[in-house]
Amino acid sequence: MFINQSSLIRHNPPRLHYGVAVTDVDNDGAFECFVAGFDGPNRVLRWDGSGFDDIAPATLADARRQAIGVAAGDLDGDGREEIYVLNTDTFAGRKRFGDRLFARSDGDWIDLFELPQNEEALNLTAGRSVAVVDRLGTGRYGFFVANYGGPFRLYELDRFGELQDMASAAGLSFTTGGRGVVALPLVTTRMDIFTVNENGANFLFANRGDGAFEEIARRAGLPDPHEHGRGVAAGDFDGDGRFDLVYGNWEGPHRLFLQKWGGLFVDAAPREMAEPSRVRTVIAADFDNDGTLEIFFNNIGQPNRLFARHGDSWVARDPGDALEPGGLGTGAAVGDFDGDGRLELLVAHGEADTQPLSLFHTAANQNAWLRVLPLTAQGAPARGAVVTLIAGGARQLRAIDAGSGYLCQMEPVAHFGLGSTPQVEQVEVRWPDGATVTITAPRPNTLLRVPHP
């Protein structure tokens, strides 16, 4: 399916890279890729119409830290996303290099953790993934950090503009081997949080609606206590209008948990999908615009895998150039950077050895598409919003990504393939505060920006 387009990255030396997040770094209205640079500077890749250039300013490049995870969200409600960079110099527990929380200030970037009033809040525990959560539906996001060997964190700004760790107050201050995270309205109408963990059971934090969460993984059938989770993604994988979960277990059986009535999840991964691998990031997206999701498993030191749904079955597909049998995959993200209506796939490599970044595209086809970008009341991407599309009588469901395929965060756009049926009857957007907007008969092959009502 995929065609190698890595030559479009103009400066692409072999390095140890990890997580990737897609956000508008330079405030130009388009999205860039922020790539965590473990053995060197972080990178910000911007599409200029013919290729990708690295535009990372020195503050964001931050070459002396060891970055692995990254996510973006509007922390302060100013309409622009802040960027959380998770630095990890040890496997678990106490670390030397603190995290960064970059915010714009007077045309430059500053690290909020370096401000005197925020120094005590600094995360000095090794972590693995970051996601953003609007737990109260205000359009102001907190950064949820899945730590390994220390309590989870939830960083929010208080009314005085100071960073506070609200994990304990919100019922999220658990200690385990934290790995991958997704945050979306999974089992409630608010943003819930699901974490896959290592050396312990997974967690499902259901949003109670009052700012606090209840851990219900066992009740939902999701604990999987004897495996070691990595990448995780959410999507409606059986077309029943409910969000399901797919995730990879490190050298253990991968899972495709379908949500049934009553909030119970049942593993329906076929044998070929469940086959163990050295998995890292997992991505669910419609790469070929045929109207159904594909699932991409990025592995380290083993061939990558791609699966597509045919009727009620999931079957393996040839990933083409993205097979990368010798690729040392550490992170991956998707976005339509060149504006052609088809998703690009950026894969980072590292850990065991240095390798360049890989960029893949799919072959051109005649399938139609629609892209929906919901915005908060402040004008930032509404991560965690749910977009439902009806076309040709079929219903598709997307959540605006809040993180994390594993260490990563996808573009904050609901991307829908329409196949050969370009007529769209309706699009509904539902924000984390419950507000909804319905758009009738939007024009296909466009990016639809939807402001908060």
Side-chain angles (χ1 to χ4, degrees):
M1 174 181 283
F2 292 104
I3 301 168
N4 195 328
Q5 298 286 326
S6 302
S7 61
L8 295 176
I9 305 173
R10 294 196 175 98
H11 180 63
N12 191 16
R15 287 181 180 168
L16 298 179
H17 291 116
Y18 275 89
V20 183
V22 181
T23 181
D24 184 1
V25 176
D26 58 0
N27 201 32
D28 66 349
F31 296 115
E32 289 81 41
C33 288
F34 189 108
V35 184
F38 186 80
D39 71 333
N42 302 320
R43 309 190 67 190
V44 176
L45 300 181
R46 180 181 63 182
W47 175 258
D48 68 1
S50 60
F52 289 89
D53 283 323
D54 187 354
I55 62 165
T59 303
L60 294 185
D62 200 23
R64 297 185 179 181
R65 300 262 172 135
Q66 294 178 333
I68 63 168
V70 59
D74 187 5
L75 176 75
D76 55 9
D78 68 350
R80 295 196 56 181
E81 294 194 308
E82 283 66 48
I83 302 172
Y84 193 108
V85 180
L86 197 156
N87 297 293
T88 297
D89 51 73
T90 187
F91 180 77
R94 184 81 174 178
K95 64 184 179 184
R96 293 182 299 124
F97 294 132
D99 296 342
R100 300 288 200 188
L101 182 45
F102 292 114
R104 295 288 294 188
S105 178
D106 298 325
D108 199 0
W109 291 89
I110 62 169
D111 175 15
L112 295 181
F113 283 124
E114 288 194 333
L115 300 179
Q117 65 268 29
N118 297 329
E119 288 178 352
E120 290 187 4
L122 179 65
N123 181 41
L124 287 172
T125 301
R128 291 299 183 273
S129 287
V130 187
V132 294
V133 182
D134 181 3
R135 63 187 175 106
L136 296 169
T138 63
R140 295 164 65 105
Y141 291 84
F143 285 91
F144 176 86
V145 184
N147 277 333
Y148 195 114
F152 289 170
R153 303 294 188 108
L154 178 64
Y155 288 108
E156 297 177 348
L157 285 181
D158 65 17
R159 62 192 181 94
F160 302 107
E162 297 183 8
L163 283 173
Q164 302 290 338
D165 177 13
M166 300 301 296
S168 180
L172 299 171
S173 186
F174 284 54
T175 297
T176 187
R179 287 289 184 174
V181 182
V182 288
L184 72 157
L186 181 63
V187 293
T188 76
T189 58
R190 299 279 189 173
M191 288 190 76
D192 309 307
I193 304 170
F194 176 69
T195 74
V196 291
N197 300 317
E198 184 171 86
N199 296 317
N202 301 328
F203 298 142
L204 174 56
F205 299 106
N207 194 321
R208 300 192 322 197
D210 59 359
F213 295 81
E214 179 184 5
E215 203 289 298
I216 63 166
R218 183 173 297 277
R219 185 193 315 167
L222 292 169
D224 212 8
H226 305 297
E227 302 300 334
H228 309 293
R230 290 297 189 271
V232 56
D236 181 6
F237 298 120
D238 56 3
D240 67 353
R242 291 185 291 267
F243 283 112
D244 311 303
L245 295 167
V246 59
Y247 65 86
N249 282 315
W250 178 260
E251 297 186 328
H254 306 327
R255 308 296 191 188
L256 179 63
F257 275 110
L258 303 180
Q259 184 175 180
K260 304 301 181 180
W261 290 109
L264 179 67
F265 290 78
V266 176
D267 185 17
R271 180 187 57 80
E272 197 168 9
M273 182 185 291
E275 183 180 350
S277 70
R278 299 169 64 87
V279 66
R280 304 308 287 262
T281 300
V282 177
I283 294 174
D286 188 353
F287 290 105
D288 57 6
N289 287 343
D290 68 348
T292 60
L293 292 171
E294 287 83 47
I295 299 174
F296 178 76
F297 289 84
N298 179 222
N299 295 313
I300 181 168
Q302 294 178 346
N304 298 325
R305 299 182 194 168
L306 182 69
F307 294 88
R309 189 174 128 208
H310 290 277
D312 294 330
S313 302
W314 285 87
V315 298
R317 290 191 62 180
D318 181 2
D321 292 342
L323 183 69
E324 290 200 303
L328 301 172
T330 50
V334 294
D336 179 18
F337 304 104
D338 58 9
D340 68 352
R342 288 177 290 128
L343 293 172
E344 288 88 65
L345 169 66
L346 182 70
V347 179
H349 309 95
E351 189 166 302
D353 198 1
T354 59
Q355 288 183 343
L357 300 168
S358 292
L359 178 72
F360 301 101
H361 212 317
T362 54
N365 58 47
Q366 299 302 310
N367 290 336
W369 50 273
L370 182 71
R371 291 167 54 75
V372 183
L373 172 55
L375 303 173
T376 66
Q378 298 84 357
R383 297 188 185 267
V386 174
V387 184
T388 304
L389 175 143
I390 301 175
R395 182 183 301 266
Q396 296 188 50
L397 193 65
R398 302 282 190 274
I400 304 301
D401 193 71
S404 142
Y406 178 51
L407 312 174
C408 301
Q409 188 185 55
M410 311 301 129
E411 63 169 358
V413 179
H415 179 93
F416 297 97
L418 302 175
S420 58
T421 309
Q423 185 67 37
V424 179
E425 288 115 64
Q426 178 179 297
V427 168
E428 181 189 90
V429 180
R430 188 180 191 280
W431 280 263
D433 65 355
T436 60
V437 164
T438 300
I439 301 105
T440 302
R443 186 163 57 92
N445 299 335
T446 57
L447 171 64
L448 185 63
R449 296 177 184 267
V450 186
H452 189 278

